[in-house]
Amino acid sequence: MTYDAQPQASHFIDGTYVEDKAGDVIPVIFAATGKEIARVHAGTSAIVDQALTAAQAAQKDWASWSPRERGRVLTRAAAIMRERNEELSQLETLDTGKPIQETRVADATSGADAFEYFGGLAGTLTGEHIPLGQDWVYTIREPLGVCVGIGAWNYPTQIACWKGAPALACGNAVVFKPSETTPLCALKVAEILIEAGLPKGVFNVVQGMGQTGAALVGDPRVAKVSLTGSVPTGRRVYAAAAEGMKHVTMELGGKSPMIVFEDADIENAVGGAILGNFYSTGQVCSNGTRVFVHKSILEAFLDRLAARTAQAVIGDPRDDATSIGPMVSEAQLNLVLGYIDKGTSEGARLVCGGTRLDREGYYLEPTVFADVTDDMTIAREEIFGPVMAVFAFEDEDEVIARANDTPFGLSAGVFTRDLARAHRVIGRLEAGSCFINSYNDAPVEAPFGGSKMSGVGRENSKAAIEHYSQLKSVYVRMGDVEAPF
Ligand code: NDP
């Protein structure tokens, strides 16, 4: 892989790269080596203003396009992303440290899916006609205006596209702020949209830390904020948005349960637990990090889990064979190591992993704890790393109560061959995105998002349209006005 990661400039505003060296330097560190591969500057207040001015100026014209024409731009962007999948996957790997075998199938491809899906949907967005005898009401689906997207660092391409695609389909303009940890990928998305025919100013990227995000959220020109991040950040951003009565979508953290009943196909359930805990080195919000296994199959499950986890290929994410890359950053690695220490000191049984690899980069073994109890720190807090906690349970009511005993409500999974039980249990689990005999699928056609502290609103699917548009209702009177005097 010989990709030069350094972008032309830090920001992408009004259809072009823009630099302002007055902003703080943000070094881009390749997680596999710990070395700097690029650097950008945080957006100053002048840059924030420039981006919002461009977005506001471009939005009205974009909204006046016929929806099908808007859709055509998005589907063209999807095609370009697919053509450039290799290049975009390499960049995603450099930005995040995720293995190339993952980024080739999960990042630009899912971004392209979003542009394709919402591109197709654009021409179908309508209001409705509501008959009232001889009078009637019709509704007009209108864009919100300027939408701000703020991203986490685990899926920088996908997050930019999941927010951008529905926003643009509805006729909004976007200013996107990537995580300071992964600033590179969203710039490529902006470039591709311009190439696909998006008018300048409709999709802009501004780099920066939380402060830049806060400046965007607080600006009165902004109508909507969509955040992917942690619960504490979500709370702050939601509160700031409320000041201006702005629309919000909050895609936040989780501590999701995965329940394996005694009749489950053990091999499949082990596969689900691996996928739902170790993909992207465990840095996935919807991961099923609390794995409840029926007591009667617990040891068999743990044996297969340990055996299959031993087959993981931990290594340079640029190698095709690597299935576990490094953690995204040293800070995240140290945070996760702290949780592993807590797991051990609070009495959980370390089944495998738990150690940082003695080599350059931020490598951590996939880690499984058994004998975890519900009150342990590793059972309660989101770790956001490759650490699985396995619990024993005995009956259905008990496991449902324990699965729901968390402030989070992002995802939940059930493994069983008993279909009646599968649907019954899923119906009682408090989570937004659920799985039966599967884990972590996120097709663009399905709503994605959390309940409880895990979030507000939904991304993807037709449901996202509700979060990027508003209805104007128009009463039409055919006769005379009935005035009181
Ligand atoms: P953070 O909450 O730390 O940051 C998220 C984004 O918000 C970053 O771009 C950050 O900037 C920005 N930010 C921080 N403070 C503010 C503020 N006051 N105003 C506006 N923006 C601000 O999350 P991480 O990046 O560490 O990502 C991990 C978290 O994201 C986990 O909790 C994970 O569960 C969640 N997540 C949720 C997903 C979902 O769809 N539900 C998907 C992926 C992740 P910067 O970091 O650059 O300073």
Side-chain angles (χ1 to χ4, degrees):
M1 200 186 282
T2 53
Y3 199 85
D4 179 10
Q6 179 62 44
Q8 281 177 46
S10 301
H11 319 287
F12 196 97
I13 299 173
D14 211 13
T16 188
Y17 276 97
V18 175
E19 192 55 274
D20 179 356
K21 291 197 168 145
D24 291 342
V25 170
I26 301 177
V28 186
I29 307 297
F30 183 35
T33 59
K35 305 248 161 48
E36 183 175 315
I37 51 166
R39 52 171 54 196
V40 296
H41 292 268
T44 56
S45 49
I47 286 289
V48 167
D49 182 59
Q50 204 179 326
L52 289 172
T53 303
Q56 197 178 33
Q59 190 264 324
K60 290 271 184 295
D61 177 60
W62 173 241
S64 76
W65 284 34
S66 95
R68 199 159 46 75
E69 283 174 352
R70 284 204 302 269
R72 201 177 296 146
V73 171
L74 302 190
T75 46
R76 223 180 273 140
I80 299 173
M81 288 189 82
R82 289 218 170 84
E83 275 160 29
R84 302 219 187 121
N85 185 45
E86 182 57 27
E87 172 197 336
L88 295 169
S89 304
Q90 291 188 20
L91 188 64
E92 176 94 18
T93 287
L94 292 172
D95 218 3
T96 61
K98 290 186 295 182
I100 190 77
Q101 64 163 242
E102 282 189 18
T103 56
R104 280 196 186 117
V105 297
D107 293 282
T109 52
S110 66
D113 287 350
F115 282 129
E116 193 169 61
Y117 178 83
F118 287 104
L121 215 55
T124 73
L125 304 179
T126 57
E128 64 178 338
H129 171 263
I130 304 163
L132 297 166
Q134 67 167 355
D135 295 350
W136 75 89
V137 168
Y138 66 94
T139 62
I140 307 172
R141 185 169 291 282
E142 295 184 334
L144 301 174
V146 175
C147 300
V148 162
I150 300 177
W153 41 256
N154 56 345
Y155 281 81
T157 304
Q158 185 188 79
I159 293 171
C161 296
W162 279 16
K163 297 188 189 313
L168 299 179
C170 292
N172 301 286
V174 173
V175 178
F176 185 78
K177 188 203 85 67
S179 163
E180 65 176 283
T181 311
T182 53
L184 305 177
C185 296
L187 292 169
K188 283 286 161 200
V189 174
E191 254 183 55
I192 286 170
L193 281 165
I194 287 290
E195 203 177 319
L198 190 76
K200 60 194 179 79
V202 178
F203 186 89
N204 310 275
V205 176
V206 168
Q207 308 294 350
M209 280 69 98
Q211 213 180 357
T212 309
L216 287 166
V217 174
D219 195 285
R221 287 169 287 189
V222 172
K224 187 213 161 101
V225 180
S226 176
L227 170 81
T228 297
S230 61
V231 171
T233 304
R235 226 185 243 126
R236 276 196 296 277
V237 171
Y238 200 172
E243 281 296 312
M245 213 55 80
K246 293 170 189 178
H247 298 248
V248 296
T249 300
M250 295 281 145
E251 292 294 348
L252 309 177
K255 190 76 194 173
S256 302
M258 178 187 296
I259 303 173
V260 184
F261 284 100
E262 62 277 22
D263 65 340
D265 176 330
I266 292 192
E267 211 51 45
N268 224 6
V270 166
I274 288 173
L275 189 66
N277 277 273
F278 299 144
Y279 202 71
S280 302
T281 322
Q283 303 164 121
V284 179
C285 52
S286 49
N287 272 355
T289 48
R290 290 184 297 141
V291 180
F292 292 91
V293 182
H294 192 269
K295 208 172 163 190
S296 62
I297 57 163
L298 181 63
E299 289 311 319
F301 180 90
L302 287 173
D303 285 350
R304 285 303 298 147
L305 182 60
R308 284 178 63 176
T309 302
Q311 292 167 17
V313 181
I314 309 175
D316 191 314
R318 293 166 295 186
D319 292 345
D320 288 354
T322 295
S323 54
I324 300 253
M327 303 293 304
V328 74
S329 65
E330 191 154 32
Q332 190 64 19
L333 171 75
N334 289 331
L335 204 105
V336 176
L337 283 170
Y339 278 110
I340 292 173
D341 280 350
K342 279 222 170 81
T344 313
S345 65
E346 290 178 15
R349 166 165 57 113
L350 187 62
V351 175
C352 59
T355 309
R356 178 179 186 173
L357 265 56
D358 185 18
R359 63 169 84 154
E360 69 171 7
Y362 312 131
Y363 291 95
L364 176 61
E365 291 173 326
T367 301
V368 177
F369 279 109
D371 303 343
V372 184
T373 55
D374 298 346
D375 54 341
M376 289 181 186
T377 308
I378 59 166
R380 307 216 64 80
E381 295 183 14
E382 184 184 47
I383 298 175
F384 224 61
V387 181
M388 186 193 308
V390 181
F391 308 70
F393 76 93
E394 288 186 63
D395 79 69
E396 190 178 305
D397 285 339
E398 169 216 334
V399 77
I400 292 170
R402 291 170 65 195
N404 286 337
D405 183 19
T406 167
F408 297 107
L410 187 49
S411 296
V414 172
F415 280 84
T416 175
R417 286 193 176 97
D418 178 344
L419 275 184
R421 170 153 67 187
H423 296 294
R424 184 171 67 234
V425 173
I426 285 290
R428 292 176 63 194
L429 290 174
E430 297 164 357
S433 300
C434 295
F435 309 92
I436 294 176
N437 294 327
S438 188
Y439 208 85
N440 263 354
D441 314 82
V444 68
E445 296 88 339
F448 180 82
S451 57
K452 294 158 78 177
M453 293 301 277
S454 291
V456 174
R458 291 293 177 266
E459 295 199 300
N460 291 342
S461 78
K462 289 180 214 152
I465 297 302
E466 300 300 329
H467 300 288
Y468 284 100
S469 61
Q470 59 193 345
L471 292 173
K472 173 184 278 175
S473 66
V474 183
Y475 190 105
V476 181
R477 182 175 292 278
M478 297 301 284
D480 295 334
V481 171
E482 290 169 18
F485 50 83

